[in-house]
Amino acid sequence: MSNTTTSPAPETEVETLQPPPPPPPAAVMDHETPLSLPLILTSKETTFPPPSTTAGELVEQPENPTKKIPETMVSFKEESNRSKDLSDFEKATLTEFKQMVQEAITNKDFYFSSNQDEPTSEIKSNHDEISIWGIPLLKDERSDVILLKFLRAREFKVKDSFLMLKNTLIWRKAFSIDDLVDENLGDDLQKVVFMHGYDKEGHPVCYNVYGEFQDKELYHKTFSDEEKRTRFLKWRIQFLERSIRKLDFRPGGINTIFQVSDLKNSPGPGKRELRLATKQALQLLQDNYPEFVAKQVFINVPWWYMAFYSMMSPFMTQRTKSKFVFASPARTADTLFKYVGPEHVPIQYGGLSVDYCDCNPEFTIDDPAAVVTVKPTTKQTVEIIVNEKCTIVWELRVVGWEVRYSAEYVPNNESNYTINIQKPKKFAAIDEPVISQRFKINELGKLLLTIDNPTSKKKKLLYRFKVDPVAE
């Protein structure tokens, strides 16, 4: 560290941020066509600045609004499950549906002898209690949330909704779902489908990484014959069931999942075995898991998938399509940040989250991060005002790098000097994605983090900080 005198570069822009909103509630999990083939979405930009601390305050000038991705349809907005938010028609329909379900329970229409080929329902020792996803039907308000899912899946047609519910209960018994939840199916596919963090509304985020099937050994082990494809289907349903059972299922709670499908290096439609497994899975999930997807974002989308989607689109409802968002490889990080705070986005997708490992024990997904746009051929400087003696810790990344980064500390004194913490250094795309630094502060002043973007492309700067007070 050395002391030098410096003056701010004229082309530098100083970013300032507003106090952060409270972190999203600890959520739980869910799905709609959870096992799906790659599916889409829309957008809404929000930034989450670092938390205010006794050590500092943050300031940032609002930038010009960025041009939005063209949208061809209205984005889906999740409906409320609170009774007061339902229309009179929806309330009346729900009441009628509940009466029909009650009659079926009373008449034991949901009970099937274990000797029949089509047994159903999750009836325990008490045949009068029917449950699904661990929620007893008609016992409390959680049941209303479940029934509303079936109603919405069938456009509030009561008879159709009842038939769907009954068929789902039959299928669950035939497939031995309760036993499947506790079965040990191994962890071969844990990199293919996994839960990681929450979106800005508190929905758990599920990632589907189709590129993992480029591994020929894994592909063969998963899809080479019908027995293996059935095992894959059981594993995927088990994953979904375990996720759903963590959901709140109360009106106003988190009852759906935010789904991300990564199509990078995804096997194309020519892979017959994958196509067969996907077709079978989609049918089961659509028939038996209604309204479990909040949003469906496809990232790293290749050209062939858009051609595939254009063929499938006419067969999808507008409701389904309005939940979809597509992002090319160049737009993947930007698109995710519209919905998921960078502290929750895995590091491989441009975020700061390292999956709770010990790589960076200073920060977790509970520490919000700021997102700042660095315009082409400009410098961007973030000021962090320090109000007390402390050790300040920060981490920072620029998605894609190809910029110069420097850091300095300017004490509040009349000597007009700065302390170089990081001399200007060029970072390339192949460098470490995240930089972590700390600095002990003995004089009050401000920390300046500067990104010099010489390229013709705008860049996304992510950063967050925290302080460790110095004992007197």
Side-chain angles (χ1 to χ4, degrees):
M1 187 186 328
S2 61
N3 293 352
T4 61
T5 301
T6 184
S7 58
E11 70 275 21
T12 298
E13 296 186 6
V14 178
E15 288 290 333
T16 65
L17 295 175
Q18 300 302 316
V28 259
M29 318 180 166
D30 139 288
H31 272 107
E32 168 164 315
T33 41
L35 181 97
S36 64
L37 254 175
L39 302 168
I40 327 179
L41 217 136
T42 56
S43 65
K44 189 174 153 186
E45 182 125 18
T46 312
T47 58
F48 284 76
S52 56
T53 69
T54 55
E57 38 186 277
L58 222 50
V59 225
E60 169 184 301
Q61 297 170 354
E63 57 182 275
N64 294 329
T66 56
K67 188 175 181 181
K68 291 185 177 181
I69 300 173
E71 297 178 5
T72 57
M73 64 193 78
V74 177
S75 176
F76 172 78
K77 181 172 176 58
E78 195 170 2
E79 299 97 336
S80 170
N81 291 308
R82 292 187 176 94
S83 178
K84 66 181 181 65
D85 296 328
L86 300 178
S87 68
D88 291 341
F89 168 75
E90 290 170 339
K91 289 178 183 178
T93 305
L94 177 59
T95 298
E96 183 183 351
F97 191 19
K98 291 168 71 173
Q99 291 172 347
M100 190 174 292
V101 171
Q102 182 61 68
E103 289 176 6
I105 293 175
T106 301
N107 298 332
K108 302 202 185 315
D109 292 342
F110 287 153
Y111 173 66
F112 296 80
S113 169
S114 58
N115 294 326
Q116 294 183 7
D117 292 332
E118 294 184 341
T120 61
S121 90
E122 297 166 287
I123 303 172
K124 314 300 181 187
S125 59
N126 179 5
H127 293 164
D128 292 329
E129 179 175 288
I130 308 295
S131 65
I132 183 169
W133 302 305
I135 308 297
L137 290 181
L138 305 184
K139 293 296 182 181
D140 56 39
E141 60 184 0
R142 295 176 300 168
S143 176
D144 288 0
V145 172
I146 289 175
L147 296 183
L148 281 168
K149 287 181 180 294
F150 284 90
L151 284 170
R152 285 173 174 141
R154 292 296 180 261
E155 299 178 332
F156 282 85
K157 297 174 182 176
V158 177
K159 290 183 180 179
D160 290 350
S161 302
F162 178 81
L163 180 60
M164 183 183 187
L165 173 62
K166 185 174 181 177
N167 287 339
T168 294
L169 292 172
I170 291 173
W171 172 78
R172 293 177 68 82
K173 186 65 176 180
F175 213 79
S176 302
I177 295 297
D178 282 343
D179 295 333
L180 176 62
V181 169
D182 299 321
E183 193 173 338
N184 182 6
L185 296 176
D187 58 2
D188 296 344
L189 300 171
Q190 61 182 351
K191 291 184 179 180
V192 177
V193 183
F194 59 90
M195 307 300 298
H196 190 108
Y198 304 94
D199 73 0
K200 293 176 181 178
E201 296 179 352
H203 300 100
V205 182
C206 177
Y207 290 85
N208 302 269
V209 187
Y210 295 92
E212 291 293 327
F213 288 127
Q214 287 289 356
D215 183 326
K216 293 182 179 179
E217 182 179 348
L218 178 63
Y219 186 91
H220 179 81
K221 189 175 181 180
T222 308
F223 301 117
S224 60
D225 58 45
E226 186 173 352
E227 181 181 351
K228 290 183 174 65
R229 290 193 292 272
T230 299
R231 184 176 180 277
F232 167 73
L233 181 62
K234 290 175 65 177
W235 179 88
R236 190 60 181 84
I237 290 174
Q238 180 192 70
F239 180 91
L240 176 58
E241 281 287 326
R242 290 176 175 178
S243 300
I244 286 177
R245 290 169 190 242
K246 296 177 183 178
L247 290 169
D248 189 12
F249 279 114
R250 294 190 182 278
I254 300 297
N255 301 301
T256 51
I257 284 176
F258 185 99
Q259 182 155 284
V260 178
S261 293
D262 179 9
L263 306 187
K264 184 177 181 180
N265 297 324
S266 176
K271 292 285 189 180
R272 176 179 175 274
E273 300 86 359
L274 177 59
R275 192 170 68 249
L276 288 173
T278 301
K279 181 179 179 180
Q280 183 184 12
L282 277 175
Q283 191 62 56
L284 284 177
L285 296 170
Q286 289 172 347
D287 290 346
N288 300 292
Y289 294 90
E291 299 296 314
F292 277 107
V293 170
K295 288 286 187 183
Q296 182 98 278
V297 179
F298 296 92
I299 58 175
N300 294 313
V301 177
W303 68 268
W304 63 260
Y305 183 73
M306 295 311 299
F308 171 80
Y309 174 75
S310 65
M311 291 189 298
M312 297 300 296
S313 181
F315 302 98
M316 299 179 186
T317 65
Q318 282 301 113
R319 179 182 176 82
T320 297
K321 289 188 287 186
S322 68
K323 295 183 181 184
F324 295 171
V325 168
F326 293 107
S328 66
R331 294 285 300 163
T332 285
D334 277 0
T335 300
L336 286 177
F337 295 157
K338 294 177 189 297
Y339 306 98
V340 185
E343 66 277 6
H344 286 261
V345 175
I347 203 165
Q348 65 266 35
Y349 296 124
L352 296 173
S353 182
V354 288
D355 198 20
Y356 315 110
C357 72
D358 295 329
C359 312
N360 185 6
E362 298 288 355
F363 296 96
T364 69
I365 60 173
D366 295 325
D367 299 304
V371 181
V372 176
T373 298
V374 184
K375 298 174 183 177
T377 64
T378 63
K379 288 183 181 180
Q380 194 81 51
T381 297
V382 173
E383 291 187 358
I384 302 174
I385 311 299
V386 182
N387 299 324
E388 64 178 329
K389 293 182 179 180
C390 63
T391 297
I392 188 166
V393 184
W394 68 96
E395 68 175 8
L396 168 150
R397 84 175 290 179
V398 175
V399 180
W401 286 115
E402 302 301 342
V403 298
R404 289 184 177 274
Y405 159 66
S406 61
E408 58 186 7
Y409 188 72
V410 183
N412 292 337
N413 56 47
E414 298 178 357
S415 301
N416 194 30
Y417 72 92
T418 65
I419 303 171
N420 280 339
I421 300 171
Q422 170 70 62
K423 293 182 178 180
K425 178 181 177 181
K426 183 176 181 179
F427 286 84
I430 60 173
D431 288 326
E432 285 295 319
V434 180
I435 295 173
S436 297
Q437 292 180 298
R438 59 172 53 234
F439 180 67
K440 185 174 182 179
I441 293 172
N442 296 314
E443 301 177 78
L444 304 189
K446 58 186 177 182
L447 175 66
L448 304 179
L449 308 177
T450 300
I451 298 297
D452 182 357
N453 177 17
T455 73
S456 59
K457 298 179 180 179
K458 66 180 181 181
K459 301 286 185 175
K460 289 293 184 184
L461 161 65
L462 319 177
Y463 72 95
R464 53 185 171 177
F465 71 92
K466 59 171 56 176
V467 299
D468 295 326
V470 175
E472 296 294 338

